[in-house]
Amino acid sequence: MRVKESSIETKQYLFSNKDLRRLIIPLFIEQFLAIFVGLADSIMVASVGETAVSAVSLIDTIMILLINIFTALATGGAIVAGQALGRRKQEEGCEAVEQTLLFSTVFSFVIMVLVYVGKWFILHVVFGQIEPEVMSNCNIYLLIVTASIPFLAIYNSGAAMYRAMGDSKTPMVMSLAMNGMNLLGNAILLYGLGFGVEGAAIPTMLSRVFAGIWMLFRIRDKSKTLHVRTLLGIRLKWKVLKKILHLGIPYSLENSMFQLGKILVLSLVSGFGTASIAANAVANSVCSFAILGGMSMGYALSAVSAQCVGAGDYGQVRYYTKKLLKFSYGGVVLMNLIIILTLSFIIHIYNLSPETGEMARRIITYHAVCAVLIWPPAFTLPNTLRAANDVGFCMWLSIASMWIFRIGFSFILAKNAGLGVFGVWIAMTIDWLVRAIFFIIRYRGTKWEFKKA
């Protein structure tokens, strides 16, 4: 039977408004920094030329796919750790931290090797027919940034655990240092020394290595509720890892299928020419800001809901879901207003050709309208379901919606209907709408409250 939100006394809440502010504000800043550096990266790379922008955009789709996989695995571990904290089982939480770190590190090394081995396939088959100069830049960028994959996985694992215990300030500070290092390196190599696309790749790689090593030191802090008790002595504990993978693998598959779909669609965009690739790349960078508030609330909702689920209090789960979903809408509206008001300036600083600039302007405006209406229930809301172990439903719905609507309609609208790259973005928002409808229906029911890890 559903617990009514009104039946919960304020004094019994697991998270006060102050706790939420301490969790959300650093999360927002961290996400802003990550996206801002991505935007600054693309602007700096634009000084090299549109072929460099296109190359970085293409390789970043592969990197984002891998980042999403590691983030999903880390989220699975963070949910298990958060539920343990909700049950007041600190030792179980620390075991979840150790197993997540162990698995993510080993798995990321395997992925790094596979990327190097499969480089030719990625460049020539996945990306399809692209111009020779774009291909050359893709090759350089991929060779350099792939070396940072294990360190990025370590950082993501640690950051997720800090958020699980309500400390988002530590990952924020580390993100500030990492992204500041990246920007400084870009400025020196691209503007100061006149490097090509490698001038963006080298700082990205080095900053991630720095963040990963720093996280290894910080995650051993025994004053924190969740920490690694030993690094060299970590041993596989299948019982704990099984719980993590039960949550992490479906979410990882969901995220990877989502990004694979984007890569397949990107191969379609590549066929429309360099102008379309560049416009799509710029729009992707700018539109990341549009959903910044929603993304931050999603991370916060996952951490908060996991502890409420661990405590067995679904009344509080629903209370915080409603509250953070409102914050998500507010954040999305605010960011899109800022983007629309500064859009002419944004297009100008990218130094795009008139054709590319007009395509980017049209895409960004359309995205802003749809994000305000649809994005929060499609992407923030399901974090509650995942935190309650309802990962199977989220995975199957997301995969089905991705392949049927985003990918299927991309080819129909972009190619058959002749809408070009704009048709790809229309298909994306159709996918959003389908997700939003089904996630709302699922949440309004009670089946997800009885899922077990």
Side-chain angles (χ1 to χ4, degrees):
M1 183 175 66
R2 182 186 301 180
V3 179
K4 293 183 179 179
E5 295 166 17
S6 59
S7 67
I8 308 170
E9 296 292 336
T10 304
K11 64 181 180 182
Q12 295 176 321
Y13 285 155
L14 291 175
F15 294 85
S16 65
N17 288 333
K18 184 178 180 181
D19 292 331
L20 291 178
R21 284 196 299 270
R22 290 167 62 182
L23 176 64
I24 292 169
I25 293 175
L27 259 176
F28 182 87
I29 295 172
E30 181 188 355
Q31 296 306 306
F32 176 85
L33 287 171
I35 297 172
F36 175 77
V37 169
L39 182 64
D41 244 1
S42 58
I43 292 172
M44 289 179 172
V45 172
S47 65
V48 181
E50 286 192 3
T51 57
V53 174
S54 299
V56 171
S57 171
L58 290 170
I59 298 303
D60 275 351
T61 59
I62 301 295
M63 291 299 114
I64 292 171
L65 167 63
L66 299 178
I67 290 170
N68 284 347
I69 292 173
F70 300 135
T71 300
L73 291 171
T75 300
I79 289 173
V80 172
Q83 290 176 356
L85 292 184
R87 295 191 299 270
R88 302 187 184 279
K89 301 285 187 180
Q90 183 183 356
E91 287 297 309
E92 291 182 12
C94 290
E95 286 183 347
V97 177
E98 292 166 355
Q99 294 303 301
T100 302
L101 182 63
L102 175 63
F103 183 81
S104 294
T105 303
V106 174
F107 183 63
S108 62
F109 269 103
V110 172
I111 293 297
M112 180 183 69
V113 172
L114 289 177
V115 171
Y116 278 125
V117 171
K119 180 172 70 73
W120 186 92
F121 178 83
I122 293 170
L123 297 178
H124 293 87
V125 178
V126 175
F127 292 153
Q129 297 296 319
I130 54 178
E131 296 176 8
E133 190 174 352
V134 176
M135 177 69 74
S136 176
N137 284 329
C138 281
N139 183 59
I140 294 169
Y141 195 76
L142 181 64
L143 282 172
I144 296 171
V145 298
T146 298
S148 68
I149 288 174
F151 300 94
L152 190 58
I154 291 170
Y155 170 78
N156 281 339
S157 296
M161 296 306 167
Y162 271 100
R163 297 184 195 111
M165 55 182 160
D167 178 5
S168 56
K169 183 179 178 181
T170 297
M172 179 200 73
V173 172
M174 297 177 74
S175 178
L176 177 62
M178 174 174 63
N179 289 315
M181 181 178 176
N182 191 10
L183 280 181
L184 180 62
N186 282 347
I188 293 172
L189 296 185
L190 290 173
Y191 294 147
L193 300 178
F195 277 43
V197 73
E198 66 273 17
I202 293 171
T204 297
M205 183 267 293
L206 291 178
S207 64
R208 290 174 177 175
V209 171
F210 168 74
I213 294 173
W214 190 7
M215 181 59 77
L216 282 176
F217 282 98
R218 290 306 304 268
I219 202 66
R220 294 186 64 194
D221 185 355
K222 290 180 172 56
S223 68
K224 297 294 184 180
T225 309
L226 295 176
H227 60 269
V228 171
R229 292 164 295 187
T230 176
L231 284 175
L232 298 178
I234 298 178
R235 297 291 182 267
L236 177 65
K237 292 189 177 181
W238 177 243
K239 184 178 179 180
V240 180
L241 184 59
K242 184 179 178 181
K243 290 181 180 179
I244 295 169
L245 297 181
H246 173 75
L247 297 170
I249 288 179
Y251 191 24
S252 180
L253 285 173
E254 177 187 337
N255 278 354
S256 60
M257 285 296 172
F258 181 83
Q259 195 62 27
L260 276 173
K262 289 180 70 174
I263 292 171
L264 287 174
V265 169
L266 191 59
S267 68
L268 175 65
V269 173
S270 299
F272 297 137
T274 301
S276 290
I277 298 174
N280 190 65
V282 170
N284 274 321
S285 295
V286 175
C287 290
S288 295
F289 282 100
I291 57 174
L292 179 61
M295 290 172 59
S296 303
M297 292 309 140
Y299 285 121
L301 185 56
S302 179
V304 170
S305 295
Q307 287 202 36
C308 295
V309 168
D313 195 334
Y314 287 90
Q316 290 204 49
V317 174
R318 290 184 181 274
Y319 169 78
Y320 287 117
T321 298
K322 184 178 179 180
K323 190 168 190 172
L324 292 180
L325 199 58
K326 288 179 181 177
F327 291 166
S328 180
Y329 265 110
V332 172
V333 169
L334 177 62
M335 293 307 299
N336 278 282
L337 280 175
I338 294 172
I339 287 171
I340 294 300
L341 291 174
T342 59
L343 186 53
S344 294
F345 174 72
I346 292 170
I347 297 297
H348 174 72
I349 60 176
Y350 268 102
N351 195 31
L352 301 173
S353 65
E355 178 191 4
T356 304
E358 185 54 37
M359 276 194 283
R361 182 189 302 274
R362 187 183 179 198
I363 291 169
I364 293 167
T365 303
Y366 173 78
H367 180 275
V369 174
C370 294
V372 166
L373 297 174
I374 310 170
W375 201 91
F379 293 96
T380 303
L381 179 60
N383 284 287
T384 289
L385 304 179
R386 296 185 188 103
N389 307 312
D390 195 17
V391 288
F393 176 84
C394 296
M395 179 188 71
W396 290 116
L397 172 59
S398 298
I399 291 175
S401 183
M402 161 63 70
W403 286 96
I404 295 171
F405 297 100
R406 179 170 295 202
I407 297 176
F409 274 81
S410 287
F411 282 87
I412 292 171
L413 296 176
K415 202 166 187 179
N416 298 344
L419 294 179
V421 67
F422 189 67
V424 169
W425 287 75
I426 294 175
M428 179 185 72
T429 55
I430 293 172
D431 171 39
W432 289 6
L433 180 61
V434 172
R435 290 169 187 255
I437 291 171
F438 280 95
F439 281 134
I440 290 171
I441 292 172
R442 182 70 167 187
Y443 173 76
R444 288 176 63 86
T446 58
K447 286 185 178 180
W448 58 273
E449 295 183 1
F450 300 98
K451 296 290 181 178
K452 301 297 180 184

